[in-house]
């Protein structure tokens, strides 16, 4: 069957004109990732303005080639790679039908990335990107784009799996989306540092079942050291929901919660504690989201929220707090305004409609928002 995304029309797995039913069924296509792909195209357009030398782009797990074809339409010299021959043929047809230059190769992504150098590499595997991270960071010049769909290991719901895959300790908290993203960033930053590269997140978001980040590379070892300095630990009280964080690779957790005295403290880390985006770049990306994109409204709203999000390594859930306080939740905008009027910084977080970030303590939030 055919689908249209942005300015292109592509064939995706399913019946084709003149073909038997089921042709291409072994090739994966996920329509729920349209927002991911729309934002990717906007990022590529904005990044060309940021660094005009960036020209070559690798879609390392191409499947139907839809992401790579859209990158070619954005002006990049694109290579699509896949281990499935049907996927490679489908990607070639999709380049041809849109009259766009592009190469589709039947290669293992790791082998290709070790053999070749690209300005931009896009990793969008099924599950964890960790098996592809070394090859990506070893040879990429400018930007590594990463999707992770294994959210349960990332956020600590499947903790042992998260430890194995990401070489850190994730914890399942009420800010699980934030935890998952920062676990992913920690693993990517540490991987890049092994090659004396700094991987700096210039845009990140968590949407539904996946985390997505865009990491700009700096090949100076001193910058890699600076990136490592943004790793640290979060200490979370399971009873009163208070939390604190500490930079550094060695954890120094308190024996009890400084707020309520509970000994039920969770320690997570080392995770990324630095900014998840460059706000100016996020707004530039928003400017490149265009009306032909199917997720235009959602993408613009998300990017505006991400750009304005307070730089804090955890977020709170208003409904969870109000339940603990034994009161009904007010309108979210009213709640945020009350915190600001009390002198605190407060912003929405993009993860959900009830998520927010603030520099206020839980006791200060309770007092500031009391009726």
């Amino acid at each position: 069957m055919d689908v249209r995304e942005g300015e292109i029309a592509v064939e995706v797995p399913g019946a084709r004109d003149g073909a038997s039913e089921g042709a291409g069924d072994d090739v994966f296509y996920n329509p729920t990732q349209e927002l991911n792909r729309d934002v990717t195209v906007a990022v590529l357009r904005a990044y060309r303005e940021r660094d005009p030398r960036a020209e070559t782009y690798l879609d390392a797990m191409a499947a139907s080639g839809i992401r790579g074809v859209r990158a070619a339409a954005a002006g990049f010299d694109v290579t699509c790679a896949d281990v499935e021959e049907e996927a490679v043929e489908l990607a070639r047809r999709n380049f041809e039908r849109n009259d766009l230059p592009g190469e589709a190769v039947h290669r293992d992504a790791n082998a290709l990335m070790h053999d070749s150098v690209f300005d931009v590499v896009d990793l969008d595997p099924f599950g964890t990107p960790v098996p592809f991270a070394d090859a990506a960071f070893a040879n990429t010049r400018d930007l590594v784009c990463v999707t992770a769909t294994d959210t349960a290991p990332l956020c600590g719901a499947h903790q042992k799996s998260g430890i194995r895959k990401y070489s850190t300790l994730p914890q399942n908290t009420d800010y699980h989306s934030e935890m998952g993203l920062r676990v992913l960033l920690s693993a990517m930053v540490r991987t890049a540092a092994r090659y004396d590269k700094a991987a700096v997140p210039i845009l990140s978001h968590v949407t539904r079942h996946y985390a997505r980040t865009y990491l700009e590379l700096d090949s100076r070892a001193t910058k890699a050291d600076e990136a490592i300095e943004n790793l640290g630990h979060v200490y979370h009280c399971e009873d009163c929901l208070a939390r604190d964080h500490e930079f550094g690779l060695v954890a120094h957790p308190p024996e009890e919660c400084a707020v309520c005295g509970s000994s039920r403290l969770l320690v997570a880390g080392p995770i990324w504690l630095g900014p998840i985006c460059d706000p100016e770049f996020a707004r530039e990306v928003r400017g490149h989201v265009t009306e032909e994109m199917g997720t235009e409204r959602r993408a613009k709203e998300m990017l505006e929220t991400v750009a304005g999000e307070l730089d804090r390594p955890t977020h709170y859930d208003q409904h969870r707090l109000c339940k603990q306080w034994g009161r009904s939740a007010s309108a979210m905008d009213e709640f945020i305004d009350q915190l600001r009027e009390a002198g605190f910084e407060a912003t929405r977080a993009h993860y959900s409609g009830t998520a927010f970030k603030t520099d206020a303590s839980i006791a200060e939030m309770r007092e500031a928002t009391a009726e």
Side-chain angles (χ1 to χ4, degrees):
M1 63 178 181
D2 292 342
V3 299
R4 175 169 287 277
E5 282 192 11
E7 299 174 343
I8 68 164
V10 297
E11 177 187 339
V12 298
R16 308 193 303 269
D17 291 340
S20 61
E21 182 73 17
D25 283 349
D26 292 335
V27 180
F28 185 70
Y29 166 71
N30 189 351
T32 66
Q33 289 273 18
E34 185 176 2
L35 174 67
N36 185 329
R37 292 186 290 266
D38 282 350
V39 173
T40 298
V41 172
V43 166
L44 292 176
R45 290 170 175 168
Y47 197 76
R48 285 293 289 272
E49 295 178 354
R50 186 183 183 99
D51 185 355
R53 298 171 301 174
E55 296 180 347
T56 57
Y57 170 92
L58 172 65
D59 183 357
M61 298 92 185
S64 66
I66 188 168
R67 192 185 299 264
V69 174
R70 294 190 66 183
F76 277 77
D77 179 4
V78 174
T79 300
C80 286
D82 207 286
V83 293
E84 296 289 340
E85 290 187 14
E86 285 191 2
V88 174
E89 289 302 318
L90 187 55
R92 286 173 181 161
R93 289 199 299 271
N94 284 328
F95 278 121
E96 291 172 359
R97 71 176 297 171
N98 288 280
D99 195 25
L100 289 168
E103 183 180 15
V105 296
H106 185 214
R107 291 289 304 278
D108 173 81
N110 280 327
L112 178 59
M113 288 186 288
H114 277 301
D115 287 347
S116 308
V117 177
F118 297 93
D119 297 324
V120 181
V121 163
D122 203 317
L123 304 178
D124 187 17
F126 179 78
T128 177
V130 168
F132 308 97
D134 277 279
F137 288 113
N139 282 337
T140 307
R141 290 191 184 98
D142 299 309
L143 188 69
V144 176
C145 319
V146 182
T147 300
T149 60
D150 58 331
T151 52
L154 280 168
C155 75
H158 294 167
Q159 190 179 70
K160 290 183 178 179
S161 178
I163 294 169
R164 289 195 308 271
K165 292 176 180 176
Y166 295 97
S167 300
T168 195
L169 177 62
Q171 295 288 3
N172 191 13
T173 64
D174 51 316
Y175 43 93
H176 54 272
S177 296
E178 185 102 37
M179 178 68 66
L181 175 59
R182 292 179 181 275
V183 166
L184 173 65
L185 287 171
S186 171
M188 297 299 102
V189 167
R190 286 181 282 118
T191 301
R194 288 201 289 270
Y195 301 94
D196 292 336
K197 293 181 178 180
V200 180
I202 56 174
L203 180 65
S204 308
H205 65 96
V206 179
T207 305
R208 298 184 65 179
H209 61 284
Y210 66 88
R212 177 74 166 170
T213 187
Y214 301 85
L215 299 155
E216 187 172 38
L217 303 184
D218 189 314
S219 296
R220 291 173 288 181
T222 53
K223 293 298 181 182
D225 292 339
E226 290 177 13
I228 292 295
E229 291 174 359
N230 280 293
L231 300 177
H233 296 79
V234 166
Y235 310 127
H236 175 91
C237 177
E238 292 187 275
D239 289 327
C240 74
L241 305 183
R243 72 285 306 261
D244 197 3
H245 63 274
E246 174 188 27
F247 288 88
L249 296 179
V250 178
H252 304 93
E255 292 185 2
E256 61 182 32
C257 175
V259 176
C260 71
S262 171
S263 60
R264 297 200 322 135
L265 293 176
L266 299 177
V267 180
I271 66 173
W272 176 258
L273 298 179
I276 65 169
C277 81
D278 173 346
E280 182 179 350
F281 181 71
R283 292 190 173 95
E284 289 171 357
V285 172
R286 186 183 185 278
H288 285 281
V289 175
T290 53
E291 62 182 7
E292 77 272 6
M293 293 179 176
T295 67
E296 178 193 9
R297 181 185 60 80
R298 289 172 56 206
K300 285 185 173 180
E301 289 178 357
M302 181 195 72
L303 289 165
E304 186 61 34
T305 303
V306 169
E309 205 169 278
L310 193 62
D311 181 19
R312 306 284 291 184
T314 68
H315 70 252
Y316 295 92
D317 184 271
Q318 183 208 21
H319 286 186
R320 175 79 184 274
L321 289 176
C322 289
K323 181 178 180 181
Q324 181 164 299
W325 297 337
R327 69 168 77 147
S328 298
S330 60
M332 193 64 182
D333 288 340
E334 177 186 345
F335 186 88
I336 296 292
D337 287 342
Q338 287 175 321
L339 291 175
R340 291 172 176 168
E341 289 167 3
F344 301 107
E345 290 187 283
T347 64
R348 285 179 176 268
H350 75 276
Y351 307 106
S352 78
T354 58
F356 69 98
K357 295 187 177 184
T358 183
D359 59 349
S361 69
I362 291 179
E364 290 168 335
M365 283 188 271
R366 184 173 186 174
E367 181 179 355
T369 60
E371 296 180 357

